Structure formats: C-alpha cells, structure tokens
Amino acid sequence: MKNTLLQNLDKLHTTDLGIIRIQKNIQLATDVINWCKDKINSPFATITKRGKNFYIDIDNFIITVNSYSYTVITVHKVK
C-alpha cells in the first residue's frame, strides 16, 4: 500500500481550488504539490488506506489523497 503511493508520486496533483484550500488550511506559501511529495516521501510518514483514500500522517499534518486518481484532496493540521 505505501509502495503504491510512493511509486506513483509523479502522478500526484490537485485542482486549482484544492491549492487554495490547502494553502488556507495550513498557511502554506510554497508549491503545494512539491510540499506534499516531500512529506509523503519522508521516512517518518505513516501511510494508511481507508476506503478510496490514502491518509498520510506526518509532522502534525494529515494529507488526504485519492487512491485512484492521486489527487491531493486536502491537508489539515492535527489538533
């Protein structure tokens, strides 16, 4: 499961609205996709799959990625 996501990091993308939503959620000024790729590729990332989504837990963030299209849906800070 983790290998599937890591092997397909080049397919990772999001929508224009997704970029705005993610930047707003975590106050991110840099490139959203590259930031997500770096976090997902970290050896400290915990990747789980529930239903149709991957959930990546890293550095007090949860990244949600659709497991079929590799679309980053959202990123939230863990409270």
Side-chain angles (χ1 to χ4, degrees):
M1 168 181 43
K2 182 174 183 172
N3 275 348
T4 302
L5 180 57
L6 294 176
Q7 290 171 350
N8 290 288
L9 274 182
D10 59 320
K11 296 179 183 176
L12 205 66
H13 67 281
T14 192
T15 63
D16 291 340
L17 289 176
I19 290 170
I20 294 167
R21 178 176 51 251
I22 293 165
Q23 288 176 329
K24 180 183 169 197
N25 285 351
I26 61 172
Q27 290 78 45
L28 184 67
T30 62
D31 179 37
V32 169
I33 295 302
N34 284 328
W35 183 89
C36 288
K37 285 180 181 179
D38 289 343
K39 293 295 183 184
I40 293 168
N41 214 15
S42 168
F44 303 107
T46 302
I47 300 172
T48 56
K49 185 176 183 230
R50 284 180 282 163
K52 63 180 182 177
N53 294 329
F54 288 111
Y55 296 91
I56 301 90
D57 187 350
I58 179 74
D59 296 338
N60 290 325
F61 294 101
I62 301 288
I63 303 168
T64 306
V65 176
N66 181 283
S67 64
Y68 302 111
S69 65
Y70 299 100
T71 303
V72 179
I73 298 167
T74 193
V75 180
H76 290 287
K77 283 188 176 185
V78 176
K79 296 182 181 191

